Amino acid sequence: MSKFFAFIYRMKYITRWALMRNTMHENVAEHSYHVSLLSHALAVIGRDVFKKSVSPERAAACALYHDMPEILTGDMPTPVKYFSPEIRSAFSKLENSAAERLLTLLPAEVKDGIASAAMPDDPELKKLIHAADKLSAYIKCLEERRAGNREFIKAEEQIKKDLLKLGMPEVDYFIDNFIPAFSLTLDELD
């Protein structure tokens, strides 16, 4: 009996944005879905618009597992996680250890296939998933601000700067073509 997916399903119990007042609570399972969706979109844009060699399917699959270590570590708030290089390094080691621990729960015959998605080694793919993760956080900030929550204004400004600094044309394309619709009401989307 493997307990791996029983652990994965527990992502829904881990809340995000713990240091901030939220009008809409978000859990790690929801976030992972959004990052997977955005990773797929960025990869399609990269492939079809900018002629990059990237697999949207692989990007989506890897993104589904990108926060898997948080099942064991919880969601560490960004200001804490990046407080100093020492803390960031220690937390990175902790995340890797947690991911490796979870992967030991898999049957041998499927371990390599799932591990290759959960811990990809392609730096360009990791960069794309990181960008999708930032985009997801940016969209969360936009949604909170639209709901009247001023708590996310600074985070929104910082995350947008971070996104633009990535220098990824697929991210810029997404921001230009898709982000404006996030300010629309349901009636305006129709």
Side-chain angles (χ1 to χ4, degrees):
M1 170 181 68
S2 173
K3 300 173 184 172
F4 179 80
F5 285 105
F7 268 107
I8 293 294
Y9 263 68
R10 298 191 69 78
M11 283 193 216
K12 64 187 166 201
Y13 301 123
I14 303 163
T15 57
R16 293 178 40 82
W17 303 94
L19 296 178
M20 301 173 81
R21 182 179 59 80
N22 290 256
T23 61
M24 298 166 284
H25 293 281
E26 179 184 39
N27 66 52
V28 174
E30 291 171 293
H31 170 70
S32 294
Y33 164 75
H34 292 143
V35 174
S36 183
L37 183 73
L38 293 168
S39 292
H40 186 269
L42 291 177
V44 167
I45 294 165
R47 183 192 66 198
D48 297 351
V49 178
F50 298 103
K51 307 307 177 206
K52 292 185 174 186
S53 176
V54 61
S55 165
E57 295 77 17
R58 177 134 173 84
C62 292
L64 282 172
Y65 294 98
H66 85 283
D67 274 343
M68 179 181 77
E70 292 184 6
I71 296 164
L72 299 178
T73 67
D75 179 51
M76 181 68 65
T78 299
V80 175
K81 195 175 191 177
Y82 295 97
F83 181 76
S84 71
E86 296 81 18
I87 290 175
R88 178 63 196 132
S89 175
F91 198 74
S92 180
K93 288 176 187 171
L94 178 62
E95 287 177 322
N96 286 335
S97 178
E100 289 169 4
R101 164 74 176 94
L102 288 165
L103 291 171
T104 66
L105 302 174
L106 287 164
E109 50 278 343
V110 297
K111 184 177 180 181
D112 289 345
I114 292 174
S116 75
M119 298 181 78
D121 56 6
D122 178 350
E124 288 302 311
L125 180 59
K126 287 180 177 182
K127 184 178 177 182
L128 185 132
I129 293 168
H130 174 72
D133 194 27
K134 286 268 183 212
L135 263 177
S136 176
Y138 182 60
I139 291 167
K140 166 69 172 167
C141 292
L142 294 174
E143 291 173 335
E144 286 289 335
R145 186 173 47 84
R146 206 169 138 252
N149 186 357
R150 296 179 40 83
E151 187 91 8
F152 283 76
I153 290 173
K154 282 270 209 210
E156 177 188 334
E157 292 168 358
Q158 184 59 54
I159 294 168
K160 185 167 187 184
K161 285 180 192 174
D162 293 345
L163 283 167
L164 297 175
K165 277 194 274 185
L166 291 174
M168 296 175 67
E170 54 270 71
V171 171
D172 299 337
Y173 182 97
F174 189 94
I175 290 170
D176 292 343
N177 288 281
F178 297 104
I179 290 295
F182 283 90
S183 67
L184 301 176
T185 66
L186 179 61
D187 291 335
E188 292 168 331
L189 285 171
D190 190 22

